[in-house]
Amino acid sequence: MFKKENNPESFKKDAETIIGESIKVKGNFVGQGNIIVDGILEGSLKTKGSVFVGEKAKIIASIEAQEIVINGEISGNLLIKGCLTAGPNARIFGDIECSQISIDQGAMINGKCQMAGAKESAKTE
Amino acid sequence: MNLFIYDDYLKKYPKITEAIEISLNDLHLSGKIIHIGAIKNLKDIIKEEISRGVKTVVCVGNNSTVNKTIDAITNEENIAIGIIPVGKNNSLAEFMGITDYKEAPNLILARRVEKIDLPSINNHYFIEQIMISNVGTSAKIEGQYTISPLKKGTLSVINIGISSVRNSAPILPNDGFLDIYIDNKGKKSSHFKCQNLEIINEKDKLIQIDNSLEIKAPVKIKITGKKVNFIVGKNRYFAN
């Protein structure tokens, strides 16, 4: 069952960019606000806002964002300042760095996961 | 001082044209009238009238009338454009909150002005939007990434318009950005914002400018940094 954070409606309000299902974007995308991806993205995506990845999305790109909700497929490294939420249909192939993580049953992650602050904790021990 | 630009097709609307002139007269809104049909150098004539003291240029017609007039006004910071809409193809007047020819003279008298971004497409200026079929089309955005629609539909680059993609930010015609919308089978599905882009088409599809002019790709579209003053009504679509 989707948590509130997976609800696209709360996320999508006033999205600056929407990459629809029948669109392919290739290159280095840099934005300021929230981004919804339901289509194909190849390259890199960087935004000061948050990213919502729909079930039909196919991303072959590195992503840097404030927060991210993933319900589709991503091949690439993720650098997330805040929370990374992986829904039951999430397929992530790449390394993750974030400060909070939430993973639904059914999600698939193949890669390393580094939580912000983990390096410092290891050093003090 | 006012200048009235009458489009050629107004000959089909003699009663409406008469009603407009009576209304303008009642409101003491006088000025020279120029009929576009008879003129080859409209831009020069408008500029000459502005140098003689015209402060408001009123387009009596539709989107096409405004598009023909805009070139003469791009470097005139103190000039305002008014619209008295007659007939079809008047989406621009609607966006400006000018619903019909009866109300328009009162709005011109009230002279509520908004500055609107002025984008260009190759050597032409446009005010509202440009459109092209998705078939064979790709757009390179700010030299950074390329958008390729995968299904039939339309790609629009909008300066003034209504956002009809659910959940996307509203279109603001004075924010210094262009809004790109791509629809798929009539449903707007994608939205991007940028300041310049290049459109290429491999199938010789024509690009429609402000529903009044058509040119071939490739084209370079950008926000020029110039603004145009438009007289608007209270119910304009982009009220702050």
Side-chain angles (χ1 to χ4, degrees), chain A residues 2 31 34 53 73 76 82 85 88:
Chain A
F2 282 112
N34 293 347
V53 179
E73 187 178 304
T85 305

mmCIF file with all atom_site columns, all heavy atoms in Angstrom, chain A residues 2 31 34 53 73 76 82 85 88:
data_model
loop_
_atom_site.group_PDB
_atom_site.id
_atom_site.type_symbol
_atom_site.label_atom_id
_atom_site.label_alt_id
_atom_site.label_comp_id
_atom_site.label_asym_id
_atom_site.label_entity_id
_atom_site.label_seq_id
_atom_site.pdbx_PDB_ins_code
_atom_site.Cartn_x
_atom_site.Cartn_y
_atom_site.Cartn_z
_atom_site.occupancy
_atom_site.B_iso_or_equiv
_atom_site.pdbx_formal_charge
_atom_site.auth_seq_id
_atom_site.auth_comp_id
_atom_site.auth_asym_id
_atom_site.auth_atom_id
_atom_site.pdbx_PDB_model_num
ATOM 1  N N   . PHE A 1 2  ? 0.566  2.243  -0.822  1.00 0.00 ? 2  PHE A N   1
ATOM 2  C CA  . PHE A 1 2  ? 1.389  3.439  -0.887  1.00 0.00 ? 2  PHE A CA  1
ATOM 3  C C   . PHE A 1 2  ? 1.286  4.215  0.408   1.00 0.00 ? 2  PHE A C   1
ATOM 4  O O   . PHE A 1 2  ? 0.222  4.418  0.955   1.00 0.00 ? 2  PHE A O   1
ATOM 5  C CB  . PHE A 1 2  ? 0.919  4.353  -2.020  1.00 0.00 ? 2  PHE A CB  1
ATOM 6  C CG  . PHE A 1 2  ? 1.376  3.879  -3.356  1.00 0.00 ? 2  PHE A CG  1
ATOM 7  C CD1 . PHE A 1 2  ? 0.480  3.403  -4.290  1.00 0.00 ? 2  PHE A CD1 1
ATOM 8  C CD2 . PHE A 1 2  ? 2.729  3.891  -3.688  1.00 0.00 ? 2  PHE A CD2 1
ATOM 9  C CE1 . PHE A 1 2  ? 0.898  2.971  -5.527  1.00 0.00 ? 2  PHE A CE1 1
ATOM 10 C CE2 . PHE A 1 2  ? 3.154  3.457  -4.923  1.00 0.00 ? 2  PHE A CE2 1
ATOM 11 C CZ  . PHE A 1 2  ? 2.244  2.996  -5.840  1.00 0.00 ? 2  PHE A CZ  1
ATOM 12 N N   . GLY A 1 31 ? 17.287 21.731 -13.267 1.00 0.00 ? 31 GLY A N   1
ATOM 13 C CA  . GLY A 1 31 ? 16.068 22.462 -12.933 1.00 0.00 ? 31 GLY A CA  1
ATOM 14 C C   . GLY A 1 31 ? 16.176 23.104 -11.563 1.00 0.00 ? 31 GLY A C   1
ATOM 15 O O   . GLY A 1 31 ? 17.147 22.911 -10.841 1.00 0.00 ? 31 GLY A O   1
ATOM 16 N N   . ASN A 1 34 ? 10.240 21.150 -8.682  1.00 0.00 ? 34 ASN A N   1
ATOM 17 C CA  . ASN A 1 34 ? 9.873  19.732 -8.689  1.00 0.00 ? 34 ASN A CA  1
ATOM 18 C C   . ASN A 1 34 ? 9.772  19.192 -10.109 1.00 0.00 ? 34 ASN A C   1
ATOM 19 O O   . ASN A 1 34 ? 9.341  19.896 -11.019 1.00 0.00 ? 34 ASN A O   1
ATOM 20 C CB  . ASN A 1 34 ? 8.524  19.519 -7.983  1.00 0.00 ? 34 ASN A CB  1
ATOM 21 C CG  . ASN A 1 34 ? 8.599  19.810 -6.502  1.00 0.00 ? 34 ASN A CG  1
ATOM 22 O OD1 . ASN A 1 34 ? 9.685  19.942 -5.938  1.00 0.00 ? 34 ASN A OD1 1
ATOM 23 N ND2 . ASN A 1 34 ? 7.444  19.917 -5.871  1.00 0.00 ? 34 ASN A ND2 1
ATOM 24 N N   . VAL A 1 53 ? 9.272  9.739  -9.732  1.00 0.00 ? 53 VAL A N   1
ATOM 25 C CA  . VAL A 1 53 ? 9.484  8.830  -10.855 1.00 0.00 ? 53 VAL A CA  1
ATOM 26 C C   . VAL A 1 53 ? 8.292  7.887  -10.945 1.00 0.00 ? 53 VAL A C   1
ATOM 27 O O   . VAL A 1 53 ? 8.059  7.081  -10.040 1.00 0.00 ? 53 VAL A O   1
ATOM 28 C CB  . VAL A 1 53 ? 10.787 8.022  -10.668 1.00 0.00 ? 53 VAL A CB  1
ATOM 29 C CG1 . VAL A 1 53 ? 10.988 7.054  -11.837 1.00 0.00 ? 53 VAL A CG1 1
ATOM 30 C CG2 . VAL A 1 53 ? 11.987 8.963  -10.540 1.00 0.00 ? 53 VAL A CG2 1
ATOM 31 N N   . GLU A 1 73 ? 11.845 2.651  -13.054 1.00 0.00 ? 73 GLU A N   1
ATOM 32 C CA  . GLU A 1 73 ? 13.177 2.061  -13.195 1.00 0.00 ? 73 GLU A CA  1
ATOM 33 C C   . GLU A 1 73 ? 14.252 3.132  -13.351 1.00 0.00 ? 73 GLU A C   1
ATOM 34 O O   . GLU A 1 73 ? 14.114 4.033  -14.174 1.00 0.00 ? 73 GLU A O   1
ATOM 35 C CB  . GLU A 1 73 ? 13.183 1.156  -14.429 1.00 0.00 ? 73 GLU A CB  1
ATOM 36 C CG  . GLU A 1 73 ? 14.452 0.356  -14.600 1.00 0.00 ? 73 GLU A CG  1
ATOM 37 C CD  . GLU A 1 73 ? 14.370 -0.562 -15.808 1.00 0.00 ? 73 GLU A CD  1
ATOM 38 O OE1 . GLU A 1 73 ? 13.436 -1.380 -15.887 1.00 0.00 ? 73 GLU A OE1 1
ATOM 39 O OE2 . GLU A 1 73 ? 15.253 -0.435 -16.683 1.00 0.00 ? 73 GLU A OE2 1
ATOM 40 N N   . GLY A 1 76 ? 21.430 4.328  -12.604 1.00 0.00 ? 76 GLY A N   1
ATOM 41 C CA  . GLY A 1 76 ? 22.270 5.505  -12.393 1.00 0.00 ? 76 GLY A CA  1
ATOM 42 C C   . GLY A 1 76 ? 22.423 5.744  -10.914 1.00 0.00 ? 76 GLY A C   1
ATOM 43 O O   . GLY A 1 76 ? 21.660 5.216  -10.099 1.00 0.00 ? 76 GLY A O   1
ATOM 44 N N   . GLY A 1 82 ? 17.754 14.770 0.988   1.00 0.00 ? 82 GLY A N   1
ATOM 45 C CA  . GLY A 1 82 ? 16.761 14.417 1.991   1.00 0.00 ? 82 GLY A CA  1
ATOM 46 C C   . GLY A 1 82 ? 16.392 12.950 1.907   1.00 0.00 ? 82 GLY A C   1
ATOM 47 O O   . GLY A 1 82 ? 17.234 12.074 1.956   1.00 0.00 ? 82 GLY A O   1
ATOM 48 N N   . THR A 1 85 ? 12.458 7.585  -1.290  1.00 0.00 ? 85 THR A N   1
ATOM 49 C CA  . THR A 1 85 ? 11.361 6.636  -1.050  1.00 0.00 ? 85 THR A CA  1
ATOM 50 C C   . THR A 1 85 ? 11.254 5.699  -2.243  1.00 0.00 ? 85 THR A C   1
ATOM 51 O O   . THR A 1 85 ? 11.092 6.161  -3.378  1.00 0.00 ? 85 THR A O   1
ATOM 52 C CB  . THR A 1 85 ? 10.023 7.385  -0.860  1.00 0.00 ? 85 THR A CB  1
ATOM 53 O OG1 . THR A 1 85 ? 10.158 8.333  0.182   1.00 0.00 ? 85 THR A OG1 1
ATOM 54 C CG2 . THR A 1 85 ? 8.905  6.409  -0.533  1.00 0.00 ? 85 THR A CG2 1
ATOM 55 N N   . PRO A 1 88 ? 6.820  -0.086 -4.214  1.00 0.00 ? 88 PRO A N   1
ATOM 56 C CA  . PRO A 1 88 ? 6.916  -1.521 -4.476  1.00 0.00 ? 88 PRO A CA  1
ATOM 57 C C   . PRO A 1 88 ? 7.347  -1.863 -5.900  1.00 0.00 ? 88 PRO A C   1
ATOM 58 O O   . PRO A 1 88 ? 7.833  -2.958 -6.159  1.00 0.00 ? 88 PRO A O   1
ATOM 59 C CB  . PRO A 1 88 ? 5.498  -2.040 -4.204  1.00 0.00 ? 88 PRO A CB  1
ATOM 60 C CG  . PRO A 1 88 ? 4.628  -0.845 -4.253  1.00 0.00 ? 88 PRO A CG  1
ATOM 61 C CD  . PRO A 1 88 ? 5.455  0.326  -3.853  1.00 0.00 ? 88 PRO A CD  1
#
